[in-house]
Amino acid sequence: MLFADPVRVVVPSALARRLAQVCTLEMEGHRWAAANVVAARQVLEAPDARAVLDALRRRLARAVPTAPGWAVVALPERLGDEDVKRAAAGLLATLGRPFFSIDQGGGLWIGGESSPEHDQASFGGFGAQALHVDAPNVHHVPDYTSLLVLRPDPAGGGVSLIGDLQEALAHLTDAEQALLRRTEVFEGRADGLLGVGAPLLPFPVVAATEGGGWPWIRWAGKVLDDPRNHEHLPVLRRFAQALSVETRAVMLGRGQLLIADQRRIAHGRTALGDPRFAVTSVRRCLLQTKVAFEATAIAQLVTAEAGVGDA
Ligand SMILES: O=C(O)CCC(=O)C(=O)O
Ligand SMILES: [Fe+2]
């Protein structure tokens, strides 16, 4: 595994505050309200936001072939929680339409403080979480997922893992890749999700996308533990091993937002520190939301004029 200091996209304080001022957390169903999307894009199209917008394009625009497909965006540590949530949503709106797939009281951001009551390997649990894409078991896998840290683990655990799915696939032989295209696996359940289409169980691990481009790699490390996938274990293990070689670790601090293009990147985490040594209200606090790709979103518009066409 590669431990590298990633390039963080730093959002200047004045810009973050302006986003927080013009945006609300108002929703239209499971989608961030259209007026918020418009307001955020107006702020981020202004000349003084150019460096941030270009950095998002270079790292995340689907039309930039060299984009790594993930970014860590750093908002000012001292911005209040509500303002962090609004500004982070505004930044996501440069890629498409922010939405939630899991309804937790109707808010855009789901999640909160980690708890030893949660299943260890789940969202908000204290255990490690194997590399995965969110909602692999539906027809429309969310294009982008994002993780927003309000408070890192005081014990220094909960390090985010970022695995390059496409690079991992390239390590496999043609025969192994062909086998993965034929392999259908089971993982979890997908009832009651919003904005992602109908459940798809079992699902193909690798499937070509309509219109070409990167295939979807519906990966979740948990497929290795599911007895229903038993007969496919050799090739699944082979892919997991290749992915571990293409994985890096990034510690997210307060106000930092990890954005992952799920067509390219799987995410996971290392275990948190022992919950007995972290009392409530100082435990890790993590939020999550999704984004549906929009070709017309401002960070997807890549022209020679934008200066990132050959980034
Ligand atoms: O806790 C984390 O850092 C990741 C959580 C996550 O990716 C999930 O629950 O889907
Ligand atoms: Fe996840």
Side-chain angles (χ1 to χ4, degrees), residues 33 39 65 68 71 74 83 116 120 127 154-155 158 220 235 251 283 285:
D83 285 353
Q120 283 250 30
V235 73
M251 184 64 186
R283 286 177 179 156
C285 185

Side-chain angles (χ1 to χ4, degrees), residues 121-124 129 132 134 147 158 160 267-269 284 286 288:
S122 73
F123 190 43
Q129 204 178 39
H132 63 280
D134 288 338
L147 296 170
S160 294
H267 62 281
R269 68 158 184 259
R284 182 178 194 243
L286 179 79
Q288 186 203 80

Side-chain angles (χ1 to χ4, degrees), residues 64-69 163-167 214 261-266:
V64 174
T66 54
D164 192 320
L165 294 161
Q166 303 292 343
E167 288 292 336
W214 303 105
D261 183 342
Q262 297 218 101
R263 236 156 75 169
R264 309 277 306 282
I265 298 293

Side-chain angles (χ1 to χ4, degrees), residues 226-278:
D226 193 319
R228 292 175 292 182
N229 304 324
H230 184 73
E231 61 179 305
H232 308 303
L233 267 185
V235 73
L236 295 176
R237 283 203 180 120
R238 177 77 191 92
F239 183 77
Q241 195 271 333
L243 186 57
S244 72
V245 175
E246 294 295 342
T247 296
R248 64 178 66 225
V250 181
M251 184 64 186
L252 301 176
R254 153 103 192 148
Q256 297 191 358
L257 174 73
L258 170 64
I259 309 174
D261 183 342
Q262 297 218 101
R263 236 156 75 169
R264 309 277 306 282
I265 298 293
H267 62 281
R269 68 158 184 259
T270 65
L272 279 64
D274 190 327
R276 288 173 303 177
F277 302 116

